[in-house]
Amino acid sequence: MGIFNATAVNPAEVAQAHGHALLAEETVIYAFKTIRDFIVFTNWRLLYVNVQGLTGSKKSYLTIPYRSITSFAIESAGTFDLDAEIKIALSGMPPIEFKIGRNSDVRGLQTLLAQKLDR
């Protein structure tokens, strides 16, 4: 997984579109969309939705339990840099890196990841 440019999207819309991949008790907390793919943070896991094919009808769902995250780094947007950068190191997998817009809830995402890594 390379570095993605992602924008925050409404968690409710992602839950509605990809709800079949969620458990009944699972809640989407944060969701980000790249050109076609989604990076979703739920109360239980990180879910990467890879949209494939010309029509986008084929999708691959990668579940990453929070316990598989070994560390993370968040670089906030600066005066001249419009994007915040997120780096998530995973046990036994390549890291996930993506950039999100200045208007995203970077602090909330940082708090969520810190809480999930503490367990």
Side-chain angles (χ1 to χ4, degrees):
M1 294 180 215
I3 297 177
F4 305 105
N5 287 319
T7 56
V9 292
N10 185 335
E13 291 176 17
V14 173
Q16 183 178 0
H18 301 283
H20 61 279
L22 302 174
L23 297 171
E25 308 83 24
E26 195 168 16
T27 304
V28 175
I29 300 171
Y30 295 103
F32 302 93
K33 185 179 186 330
T34 65
I35 293 171
R36 295 177 56 159
D37 300 340
F38 293 89
I39 302 162
V40 181
F41 294 85
T42 76
N43 55 325
W44 289 3
R45 61 186 163 154
L46 171 63
L47 185 64
Y48 176 70
V49 182
N50 182 5
V51 180
Q52 304 170 2
L54 293 174
T55 62
S57 60
K58 183 176 179 180
K59 295 172 184 69
S60 167
Y61 294 87
L62 174 64
T63 291
I64 302 166
Y66 286 118
R67 68 180 177 272
S68 296
I69 298 174
T70 58
S71 65
F72 69 93
I74 297 180
E75 181 179 314
S76 62
T79 304
F80 299 107
D81 185 11
L82 301 178
D83 299 321
E85 192 167 320
I86 314 295
K87 296 177 186 175
I88 301 173
L90 304 169
S91 177
M93 292 181 63
I96 296 174
E97 299 182 32
F98 60 101
K99 294 182 180 186
I100 57 175
R102 176 186 300 265
N103 298 337
S104 300
D105 185 6
V106 175
R107 287 184 180 187
L109 182 57
Q110 185 169 4
T111 299
L112 172 70
L113 288 170
Q115 288 172 343
K116 296 301 183 180
L117 260 61
D118 189 38
R119 295 177 184 189

